[in-house]
Amino acid sequence: MDQVKATAAFVANRSSHVVVDSAGLEKVVENIQDKIPKIEWDFEGIHYFDNGPLTVQYLFVLDTLNFCFWPDKNLNYDDLASGLKEALENDKSVFDADHLQKITGLQLRNLLKWPRPLPLEDERVRLLHEVGFELERSFGGQASNLVESCGRSAAKLVATIASHFPGFRDHSVYKGHQIFLYKRAQIFAADLYGAFKGQGYGEFNDISSITIFADYIVPAMLRKLGVLKYSSTLASIIESNKEIVSGSEEEVELRACSIYAVEKMRDLISVKLGKQVLSVELDLWLWAYGVQNPSLPHHRTLSIYY
Ligand SMILES: Nc1nc2c(c(CN[C@H]3C=C[C@H](O)[C@@H]3O)cn2[C@@H]2O[C@H](COP(=O)(O)O)[C@@H](O)[C@H]2O)c(=O)[nH]1
């Protein structure tokens, strides 16, 4: 994930709409002291888990669809995670590769028991078809084979997913340079690590290489903590819920500066507190607090990546 870290730093060093505030960062680390908040993966109790390959298939489908909830005021990530869980409990073959390749928007909606079209529903369906097709073509239909082919390397898993599944290629071009953010591919590795508690399909010898998952909750939380500062124009766009175009400088800066800030936070925790923390742990802490503060204004971008 060196590419993610390096290109996020490239953006942070040139950004004009978003600034990583070193004093704010120092203050957060001082306040953390000995108690880096440890949040349990699945603290909400909404995910499917059976300790086997079906859990891997579930998590891959979940992270294929883990984006863009905000256009529907009532739809949240929990609806997706628990809806897919219930669908799988009712029919163990529901996420078989041949089913995924043929699923329709209406069927997906029915699986999730969602009464109206999902945001970006056509894209969600297209991505499920792509996943079903490529899983069958290259991995015997099983996401668990994809994971096993990566020999316990999270970095290899992210690279393999990006090379086989175009829908996971979370790239942008910023000031003429290609920037890699890989939110959904990285969160899949983190979900395996969290669900399987670092064992079996969740065992990775390089989990520390994963960065945070640049979505629309973590930047809002970093801003609340005083780690990110926005230009007055960007602040007013976000506070008035105006959309920000996918791939715009503002959007790339929000996401890349969040990744960069948390990597800096890790360095500072290591220097000041002598502790090694994973971005996965910091992400879960920031995200869990962010979603528990629904009044936090967040940026709104129509995107299939987060
Ligand atoms: N950075 C980061 N972003 C995350 C997650 C998760 C869920 N991870 C599960 C794994 C373990 C825990 O038990 C969690 O349940 C979702 N998101 C993003 O949030 C947004 C949805 O927000 P709202 O519209 O309010 O539901 C959307 O962009 C979604 O992609 C995370 O962990 N980290």
Side-chain angles (χ1 to χ4, degrees):
M1 293 302 83
D2 293 348
Q3 254 183 344
V4 176
K5 289 178 191 164
T7 60
F10 175 91
V11 175
N13 289 327
R14 288 160 183 79
S15 66
S16 53
H17 310 279
V18 182
V19 171
V20 179
D21 187 285
S22 333
L25 205 50
E26 298 236 355
K27 214 157 126 213
V28 170
V29 172
E30 267 163 34
N31 288 338
I32 286 178
Q33 284 300 335
D34 268 357
K35 18 177 215 320
I36 298 155
K38 273 250 183 276
I39 311 285
E40 270 288 301
W41 191 85
D42 198 31
F43 61 93
E44 317 98 313
I46 52 175
H47 297 93
Y48 178 86
F49 186 72
D50 66 3
N51 207 19
L54 204 51
T55 300
V56 181
Q57 195 84 355
Y58 163 81
L59 292 174
F60 198 48
V61 170
L62 175 66
D63 287 324
T64 298
L65 301 174
N66 188 356
F67 60 88
C68 201
F69 302 91
W70 59 266
D72 186 323
K73 263 205 324 292
N74 297 312
L75 181 72
N76 287 306
Y77 171 80
D78 335 3
D79 298 301
L80 177 70
S82 57
L84 295 177
K85 175 186 183 197
E86 208 181 313
L88 189 54
E89 283 167 348
N90 289 334
D91 174 3
K92 298 284 183 206
S93 72
V94 70
F95 303 138
D96 285 2
D98 55 336
H99 286 174
L100 294 176
Q101 284 177 68
K102 289 191 281 220
I103 196 163
T104 66
L106 192 58
Q107 283 167 341
L108 178 61
R109 230 183 280 167
N110 289 341
L111 280 186
L112 299 175
K113 300 201 167 68
W114 201 247
R116 40 185 184 278
L118 297 156
L120 301 179
E121 186 173 277
D122 294 350
E123 282 298 275
R124 292 184 197 273
V125 167
R126 183 183 66 78
L127 293 167
L128 287 176
H129 291 180
E130 178 181 287
V131 160
F133 175 81
E134 188 57 17
L135 279 181
E136 188 166 297
R137 194 175 73 101
S138 300
F139 301 100
Q142 305 283 319
S144 56
N145 291 336
L146 157 70
V147 175
E148 278 173 348
S149 76
C150 296
R152 303 200 175 101
S153 165
K156 180 151 185 231
L157 180 59
V158 172
T160 307
I161 291 173
S163 79
H164 280 270
F165 303 92
F168 281 84
R169 290 178 195 157
D170 181 4
H171 305 178
S172 289
V173 176
Y174 177 84
K175 299 189 174 165
H177 289 250
Q178 193 171 14
I179 310 299
F180 302 87
L181 302 169
Y182 289 140
K183 186 252 180 188
R184 289 195 288 106
Q186 292 202 85
I187 210 171
F188 174 57
D191 283 345
L192 290 166
Y193 176 76
F196 290 91
K197 299 197 182 336
Q199 306 291 314
Y201 292 113
E203 185 180 350
F204 297 108
N205 47 32
D206 57 355
I207 193 69
S208 69
S209 67
I210 296 286
T211 70
I212 58 141
F213 322 117
D215 65 344
Y216 48 85
I217 303 289
V218 169
M221 191 58 203
L222 288 171
R223 183 185 183 209
K224 181 182 157 70
L225 290 172
V227 170
L228 293 186
K229 299 268 157 68
Y230 299 167
S231 69
S232 56
T233 321
L234 179 59
S236 79
I237 291 173
I238 291 178
E239 273 142 32
S240 58
N241 291 340
K242 281 204 193 112
E243 254 181 71
I244 295 180
V245 176
S246 173
S248 62
E249 282 197 359
E250 288 86 342
E251 191 232 8
V252 179
E253 289 184 12
L254 281 161
R255 301 184 71 208
C257 289
S258 298
I259 293 175
Y260 178 77
V262 177
E263 291 307 311
K264 287 269 152 218
M265 200 185 283
R266 282 175 85 181
D267 293 346
L268 217 53
I269 292 173
S270 165
V271 171
K272 298 231 160 169
L273 310 179
K275 288 188 193 307
Q276 306 305 315
V277 275
L278 301 172
S279 296
V280 174
E281 297 168 316
L282 292 174
D283 178 90
L284 198 50
W285 163 52
L286 293 164
W287 187 81
Y289 278 88
V291 283
Q292 282 158 25
N293 283 283
S295 58
L296 275 185
H298 67 72
H299 75 280
R300 285 151 204 269
T301 296
L302 278 180
S303 172
I304 62 159
Y305 295 129
Y306 64 97

PDB file of all heavy atoms in Angstrom, residues 172-197:
ATOM      1  N   SER A 172      -7.655   8.381  -8.868  1.00  0.00           N
ATOM      2  CA  SER A 172      -8.035   9.708  -9.376  1.00  0.00           C
ATOM      3  C   SER A 172      -6.806  10.324 -10.013  1.00  0.00           C
ATOM      4  O   SER A 172      -5.688   9.851  -9.781  1.00  0.00           O
ATOM      5  CB  SER A 172      -8.412  10.649  -8.240  1.00  0.00           C
ATOM      6  OG  SER A 172      -9.612  10.282  -7.674  1.00  0.00           O
ATOM      7  N   VAL A 173      -7.025  11.388 -10.752  1.00  0.00           N
ATOM      8  CA  VAL A 173      -5.872  12.160 -11.245  1.00  0.00           C
ATOM      9  C   VAL A 173      -5.942  13.529 -10.576  1.00  0.00           C
ATOM     10  O   VAL A 173      -6.968  14.200 -10.619  1.00  0.00           O
ATOM     11  CB  VAL A 173      -5.887  12.281 -12.781  1.00  0.00           C
ATOM     12  CG1 VAL A 173      -4.725  13.163 -13.259  1.00  0.00           C
ATOM     13  CG2 VAL A 173      -5.779  10.903 -13.419  1.00  0.00           C
ATOM     14  N   TYR A 174      -4.825  13.905  -9.919  1.00  0.00           N
ATOM     15  CA  TYR A 174      -4.770  15.166  -9.172  1.00  0.00           C
ATOM     16  C   TYR A 174      -3.543  15.936  -9.631  1.00  0.00           C
ATOM     17  O   TYR A 174      -2.432  15.419  -9.549  1.00  0.00           O
ATOM     18  CB  TYR A 174      -4.681  14.854  -7.676  1.00  0.00           C
ATOM     19  CG  TYR A 174      -4.538  16.070  -6.786  1.00  0.00           C
ATOM     20  CD1 TYR A 174      -5.653  16.798  -6.369  1.00  0.00           C
ATOM     21  CD2 TYR A 174      -3.269  16.494  -6.354  1.00  0.00           C
ATOM     22  CE1 TYR A 174      -5.514  17.903  -5.534  1.00  0.00           C
ATOM     23  CE2 TYR A 174      -3.133  17.593  -5.526  1.00  0.00           C
ATOM     24  CZ  TYR A 174      -4.254  18.301  -5.123  1.00  0.00           C
ATOM     25  OH  TYR A 174      -4.109  19.397  -4.306  1.00  0.00           O
ATOM     26  N   LYS A 175      -3.779  17.143 -10.125  1.00  0.00           N
ATOM     27  CA  LYS A 175      -2.679  17.966 -10.642  1.00  0.00           C
ATOM     28  C   LYS A 175      -1.760  17.139 -11.550  1.00  0.00           C
ATOM     29  O   LYS A 175      -0.534  17.176 -11.428  1.00  0.00           O
ATOM     30  CB  LYS A 175      -1.907  18.620  -9.492  1.00  0.00           C
ATOM     31  CG  LYS A 175      -2.840  19.546  -8.672  1.00  0.00           C
ATOM     32  CD  LYS A 175      -2.177  20.410  -7.644  1.00  0.00           C
ATOM     33  CE  LYS A 175      -3.228  21.346  -7.047  1.00  0.00           C
ATOM     34  NZ  LYS A 175      -2.885  22.018  -5.841  1.00  0.00           N
ATOM     35  N   GLY A 176      -2.396  16.331 -12.407  1.00  0.00           N
ATOM     36  CA  GLY A 176      -1.644  15.559 -13.410  1.00  0.00           C
ATOM     37  C   GLY A 176      -1.024  14.273 -12.897  1.00  0.00           C
ATOM     38  O   GLY A 176      -0.353  13.573 -13.656  1.00  0.00           O
ATOM     39  N   HIS A 177      -1.239  13.924 -11.641  1.00  0.00           N
ATOM     40  CA  HIS A 177      -0.645  12.696 -11.096  1.00  0.00           C
ATOM     41  C   HIS A 177      -1.717  11.698 -10.688  1.00  0.00           C
ATOM     42  O   HIS A 177      -2.756  12.088 -10.148  1.00  0.00           O
ATOM     43  CB  HIS A 177       0.208  13.024  -9.867  1.00  0.00           C
ATOM     44  CG  HIS A 177       1.472  13.738 -10.218  1.00  0.00           C
ATOM     45  ND1 HIS A 177       2.722  13.179 -10.113  1.00  0.00           N
ATOM     46  CD2 HIS A 177       1.654  14.981 -10.711  1.00  0.00           C
ATOM     47  CE1 HIS A 177       3.624  14.042 -10.528  1.00  0.00           C
ATOM     48  NE2 HIS A 177       3.005  15.153 -10.892  1.00  0.00           N
ATOM     49  N   GLN A 178      -1.423  10.415 -10.917  1.00  0.00           N
ATOM     50  CA  GLN A 178      -2.390   9.388 -10.537  1.00  0.00           C
ATOM     51  C   GLN A 178      -2.321   9.127  -9.021  1.00  0.00           C
ATOM     52  O   GLN A 178      -1.230   8.944  -8.463  1.00  0.00           O
ATOM     53  CB  GLN A 178      -2.113   8.089 -11.306  1.00  0.00           C
ATOM     54  CG  GLN A 178      -3.249   7.095 -11.194  1.00  0.00           C
ATOM     55  CD  GLN A 178      -3.086   5.897 -12.123  1.00  0.00           C
ATOM     56  OE1 GLN A 178      -2.013   5.676 -12.671  1.00  0.00           O
ATOM     57  NE2 GLN A 178      -4.152   5.130 -12.279  1.00  0.00           N
ATOM     58  N   ILE A 179      -3.489   9.121  -8.404  1.00  0.00           N
ATOM     59  CA  ILE A 179      -3.599   8.986  -6.947  1.00  0.00           C
ATOM     60  C   ILE A 179      -4.390   7.714  -6.647  1.00  0.00           C
ATOM     61  O   ILE A 179      -5.440   7.490  -7.249  1.00  0.00           O
ATOM     62  CB  ILE A 179      -4.363  10.213  -6.348  1.00  0.00           C
ATOM     63  CG1 ILE A 179      -3.787  11.545  -6.841  1.00  0.00           C
ATOM     64  CG2 ILE A 179      -4.428  10.144  -4.820  1.00  0.00           C
ATOM     65  CD1 ILE A 179      -2.337  11.793  -6.490  1.00  0.00           C
ATOM     66  N   PHE A 180      -3.886   6.901  -5.718  1.00  0.00           N
ATOM     67  CA  PHE A 180      -4.513   5.607  -5.410  1.00  0.00           C
ATOM     68  C   PHE A 180      -5.103   5.654  -4.000  1.00  0.00           C
ATOM     69  O   PHE A 180      -4.374   5.929  -3.047  1.00  0.00           O
ATOM     70  CB  PHE A 180      -3.467   4.492  -5.489  1.00  0.00           C
ATOM     71  CG  PHE A 180      -2.800   4.418  -6.834  1.00  0.00           C
ATOM     72  CD1 PHE A 180      -1.678   5.192  -7.114  1.00  0.00           C
ATOM     73  CD2 PHE A 180      -3.314   3.607  -7.833  1.00  0.00           C
ATOM     74  CE1 PHE A 180      -1.073   5.144  -8.373  1.00  0.00           C
ATOM     75  CE2 PHE A 180      -2.717   3.551  -9.089  1.00  0.00           C
ATOM     76  CZ  PHE A 180      -1.592   4.327  -9.355  1.00  0.00           C
ATOM     77  N   LEU A 181      -6.400   5.376  -3.896  1.00  0.00           N
ATOM     78  CA  LEU A 181      -7.030   5.462  -2.575  1.00  0.00           C
ATOM     79  C   LEU A 181      -7.601   4.112  -2.098  1.00  0.00           C
ATOM     80  O   LEU A 181      -7.601   3.826  -0.918  1.00  0.00           O
ATOM     81  CB  LEU A 181      -8.109   6.553  -2.578  1.00  0.00           C
ATOM     82  CG  LEU A 181      -7.544   7.948  -2.965  1.00  0.00           C
ATOM     83  CD1 LEU A 181      -8.664   8.942  -3.213  1.00  0.00           C
ATOM     84  CD2 LEU A 181      -6.603   8.492  -1.907  1.00  0.00           C
ATOM     85  N   TYR A 182      -8.055   3.293  -3.037  1.00  0.00           N
ATOM     86  CA  TYR A 182      -8.437   1.892  -2.791  1.00  0.00           C
ATOM     87  C   TYR A 182      -9.275   1.646  -1.536  1.00  0.00           C
ATOM     88  O   TYR A 182      -8.981   0.739  -0.742  1.00  0.00           O
ATOM     89  CB  TYR A 182      -7.182   1.016  -2.723  1.00  0.00           C
ATOM     90  CG  TYR A 182      -6.505   0.817  -4.059  1.00  0.00           C
ATOM     91  CD1 TYR A 182      -5.111   0.828  -4.177  1.00  0.00           C
ATOM     92  CD2 TYR A 182      -7.261   0.610  -5.207  1.00  0.00           C
ATOM     93  CE1 TYR A 182      -4.481   0.634  -5.394  1.00  0.00           C
ATOM     94  CE2 TYR A 182      -6.641   0.415  -6.439  1.00  0.00           C
ATOM     95  CZ  TYR A 182      -5.262   0.431  -6.519  1.00  0.00           C
ATOM     96  OH  TYR A 182      -4.648   0.238  -7.727  1.00  0.00           O
ATOM     97  N   LYS A 183     -10.326   2.426  -1.376  1.00  0.00           N
ATOM     98  CA  LYS A 183     -11.131   2.267  -0.156  1.00  0.00           C
ATOM     99  C   LYS A 183     -11.773   0.881  -0.037  1.00  0.00           C
ATOM    100  O   LYS A 183     -11.622   0.201   0.972  1.00  0.00           O
ATOM    101  CB  LYS A 183     -12.181   3.376  -0.091  1.00  0.00           C
ATOM    102  CG  LYS A 183     -12.948   3.377   1.198  1.00  0.00           C
ATOM    103  CD  LYS A 183     -14.342   2.885   0.975  1.00  0.00           C
ATOM    104  CE  LYS A 183     -15.172   2.861   2.208  1.00  0.00           C
ATOM    105  NZ  LYS A 183     -16.442   2.213   1.975  1.00  0.00           N
ATOM    106  N   ARG A 184     -12.531   0.460  -1.060  1.00  0.00           N
ATOM    107  CA  ARG A 184     -13.279  -0.795  -0.891  1.00  0.00           C
ATOM    108  C   ARG A 184     -12.382  -2.031  -0.905  1.00  0.00           C
ATOM    109  O   ARG A 184     -12.682  -3.027  -0.249  1.00  0.00           O
ATOM    110  CB  ARG A 184     -14.391  -0.899  -1.942  1.00  0.00           C
ATOM    111  CG  ARG A 184     -15.530   0.089  -1.684  1.00  0.00           C
ATOM    112  CD  ARG A 184     -16.775  -0.237  -2.478  1.00  0.00           C
ATOM    113  NE  ARG A 184     -16.655   0.033  -3.894  1.00  0.00           N
ATOM    114  CZ  ARG A 184     -16.511  -0.879  -4.843  1.00  0.00           C
ATOM    115  NH1 ARG A 184     -16.464  -2.169  -4.540  1.00  0.00           N
ATOM    116  NH2 ARG A 184     -16.434  -0.522  -6.116  1.00  0.00           N
ATOM    117  N   ALA A 185     -11.286  -1.990  -1.645  1.00  0.00           N
ATOM    118  CA  ALA A 185     -10.384  -3.150  -1.664  1.00  0.00           C
ATOM    119  C   ALA A 185      -9.695  -3.282  -0.313  1.00  0.00           C
ATOM    120  O   ALA A 185      -9.564  -4.389   0.237  1.00  0.00           O
ATOM    121  CB  ALA A 185      -9.352  -2.997  -2.792  1.00  0.00           C
ATOM    122  N   GLN A 186      -9.268  -2.161   0.257  1.00  0.00           N
ATOM    123  CA  GLN A 186      -8.584  -2.220   1.557  1.00  0.00           C
ATOM    124  C   GLN A 186      -9.551  -2.604   2.681  1.00  0.00           C
ATOM    125  O   GLN A 186      -9.185  -3.335   3.597  1.00  0.00           O
ATOM    126  CB  GLN A 186      -7.963  -0.875   1.896  1.00  0.00           C
ATOM    127  CG  GLN A 186      -6.803  -0.488   0.995  1.00  0.00           C
ATOM    128  CD  GLN A 186      -5.916   0.540   1.700  1.00  0.00           C
ATOM    129  OE1 GLN A 186      -5.026   0.186   2.465  1.00  0.00           O
ATOM    130  NE2 GLN A 186      -6.167   1.809   1.447  1.00  0.00           N
ATOM    131  N   ILE A 187     -10.778  -2.104   2.600  1.00  0.00           N
ATOM    132  CA  ILE A 187     -11.714  -2.408   3.698  1.00  0.00           C
ATOM    133  C   ILE A 187     -12.088  -3.895   3.666  1.00  0.00           C
ATOM    134  O   ILE A 187     -12.380  -4.474   4.718  1.00  0.00           O
ATOM    135  CB  ILE A 187     -12.958  -1.477   3.660  1.00  0.00           C
ATOM    136  CG1 ILE A 187     -13.505  -1.266   5.074  1.00  0.00           C
ATOM    137  CG2 ILE A 187     -14.081  -2.017   2.793  1.00  0.00           C
ATOM    138  CD1 ILE A 187     -14.582  -0.207   5.181  1.00  0.00           C
ATOM    139  N   PHE A 188     -12.024  -4.509   2.495  1.00  0.00           N
ATOM    140  CA  PHE A 188     -12.285  -5.950   2.429  1.00  0.00           C
ATOM    141  C   PHE A 188     -11.200  -6.695   3.230  1.00  0.00           C
ATOM    142  O   PHE A 188     -11.521  -7.582   4.039  1.00  0.00           O
ATOM    143  CB  PHE A 188     -12.334  -6.417   0.964  1.00  0.00           C
ATOM    144  CG  PHE A 188     -12.455  -7.912   0.808  1.00  0.00           C
ATOM    145  CD1 PHE A 188     -13.512  -8.612   1.383  1.00  0.00           C
ATOM    146  CD2 PHE A 188     -11.509  -8.629   0.081  1.00  0.00           C
ATOM    147  CE1 PHE A 188     -13.624  -9.998   1.245  1.00  0.00           C
ATOM    148  CE2 PHE A 188     -11.615 -10.012  -0.071  1.00  0.00           C
ATOM    149  CZ  PHE A 188     -12.667 -10.700   0.519  1.00  0.00           C
ATOM    150  N   ALA A 189      -9.940  -6.317   3.033  1.00  0.00           N
ATOM    151  CA  ALA A 189      -8.850  -6.954   3.806  1.00  0.00           C
ATOM    152  C   ALA A 189      -9.076  -6.706   5.303  1.00  0.00           C
ATOM    153  O   ALA A 189      -8.933  -7.614   6.129  1.00  0.00           O
ATOM    154  CB  ALA A 189      -7.497  -6.404   3.359  1.00  0.00           C
ATOM    155  N   ALA A 190      -9.452  -5.481   5.652  1.00  0.00           N
ATOM    156  CA  ALA A 190      -9.666  -5.144   7.066  1.00  0.00           C
ATOM    157  C   ALA A 190     -10.867  -5.891   7.634  1.00  0.00           C
ATOM    158  O   ALA A 190     -10.851  -6.320   8.794  1.00  0.00           O
ATOM    159  CB  ALA A 190      -9.876  -3.644   7.213  1.00  0.00           C
ATOM    160  N   ASP A 191     -11.908  -6.064   6.832  1.00  0.00           N
ATOM    161  CA  ASP A 191     -13.083  -6.797   7.310  1.00  0.00           C
ATOM    162  C   ASP A 191     -12.733  -8.272   7.568  1.00  0.00           C
ATOM    163  O   ASP A 191     -13.201  -8.868   8.544  1.00  0.00           O
ATOM    164  CB  ASP A 191     -14.239  -6.675   6.302  1.00  0.00           C
ATOM    165  CG  ASP A 191     -14.938  -5.312   6.398  1.00  0.00           C
ATOM    166  OD1 ASP A 191     -14.731  -4.597   7.396  1.00  0.00           O
ATOM    167  OD2 ASP A 191     -15.690  -4.955   5.463  1.00  0.00           O
ATOM    168  N   LEU A 192     -11.905  -8.849   6.697  1.00  0.00           N
ATOM    169  CA  LEU A 192     -11.467 -10.233   6.936  1.00  0.00           C
ATOM    170  C   LEU A 192     -10.675 -10.307   8.233  1.00  0.00           C
ATOM    171  O   LEU A 192     -10.904 -11.171   9.086  1.00  0.00           O
ATOM    172  CB  LEU A 192     -10.570 -10.717   5.777  1.00  0.00           C
ATOM    173  CG  LEU A 192     -11.253 -10.945   4.431  1.00  0.00           C
ATOM    174  CD1 LEU A 192     -10.206 -11.079   3.322  1.00  0.00           C
ATOM    175  CD2 LEU A 192     -12.114 -12.222   4.483  1.00  0.00           C
ATOM    176  N   TYR A 193      -9.757  -9.351   8.379  1.00  0.00           N
ATOM    177  CA  TYR A 193      -8.906  -9.298   9.582  1.00  0.00           C
ATOM    178  C   TYR A 193      -9.773  -9.154  10.848  1.00  0.00           C
ATOM    179  O   TYR A 193      -9.570  -9.842  11.838  1.00  0.00           O
ATOM    180  CB  TYR A 193      -7.947  -8.114   9.428  1.00  0.00           C
ATOM    181  CG  TYR A 193      -7.055  -7.859  10.613  1.00  0.00           C
ATOM    182  CD1 TYR A 193      -5.940  -8.664  10.862  1.00  0.00           C
ATOM    183  CD2 TYR A 193      -7.318  -6.787  11.470  1.00  0.00           C
ATOM    184  CE1 TYR A 193      -5.121  -8.406  11.948  1.00  0.00           C
ATOM    185  CE2 TYR A 193      -6.499  -6.528  12.558  1.00  0.00           C
ATOM    186  CZ  TYR A 193      -5.401  -7.341  12.795  1.00  0.00           C
ATOM    187  OH  TYR A 193      -4.591  -7.077  13.869  1.00  0.00           O
ATOM    188  N   GLY A 194     -10.774  -8.278  10.764  1.00  0.00           N
ATOM    189  CA  GLY A 194     -11.645  -8.032  11.921  1.00  0.00           C
ATOM    190  C   GLY A 194     -12.566  -9.211  12.195  1.00  0.00           C
ATOM    191  O   GLY A 194     -12.667  -9.681  13.331  1.00  0.00           O
ATOM    192  N   ALA A 195     -13.214  -9.721  11.154  1.00  0.00           N
ATOM    193  CA  ALA A 195     -14.198 -10.788  11.355  1.00  0.00           C
ATOM    194  C   ALA A 195     -13.530 -12.065  11.854  1.00  0.00           C
ATOM    195  O   ALA A 195     -14.016 -12.707  12.788  1.00  0.00           O
ATOM    196  CB  ALA A 195     -14.946 -11.053  10.042  1.00  0.00           C
ATOM    197  N   PHE A 196     -12.403 -12.423  11.230  1.00  0.00           N
ATOM    198  CA  PHE A 196     -11.721 -13.677  11.598  1.00  0.00           C
ATOM    199  C   PHE A 196     -10.672 -13.459  12.699  1.00  0.00           C
ATOM    200  O   PHE A 196      -9.864 -14.331  12.975  1.00  0.00           O
ATOM    201  CB  PHE A 196     -11.086 -14.322  10.355  1.00  0.00           C
ATOM    202  CG  PHE A 196     -12.078 -14.890   9.387  1.00  0.00           C
ATOM    203  CD1 PHE A 196     -12.587 -14.117   8.344  1.00  0.00           C
ATOM    204  CD2 PHE A 196     -12.532 -16.204   9.500  1.00  0.00           C
ATOM    205  CE1 PHE A 196     -13.510 -14.624   7.439  1.00  0.00           C
ATOM    206  CE2 PHE A 196     -13.453 -16.734   8.607  1.00  0.00           C
ATOM    207  CZ  PHE A 196     -13.951 -15.948   7.568  1.00  0.00           C
ATOM    208  N   LYS A 197     -10.673 -12.272  13.279  1.00  0.00           N
ATOM    209  CA  LYS A 197      -9.764 -11.920  14.385  1.00  0.00           C
ATOM    210  C   LYS A 197      -8.305 -12.266  14.083  1.00  0.00           C
ATOM    211  O   LYS A 197      -7.581 -12.847  14.914  1.00  0.00           O
ATOM    212  CB  LYS A 197     -10.209 -12.617  15.674  1.00  0.00           C
ATOM    213  CG  LYS A 197     -11.623 -12.208  16.130  1.00  0.00           C
ATOM    214  CD  LYS A 197     -11.846 -12.586  17.564  1.00  0.00           C
ATOM    215  CE  LYS A 197     -13.202 -12.307  18.149  1.00  0.00           C
ATOM    216  NZ  LYS A 197     -14.044 -11.305  17.599  1.00  0.00           N
TER     217      LYS A 197
END
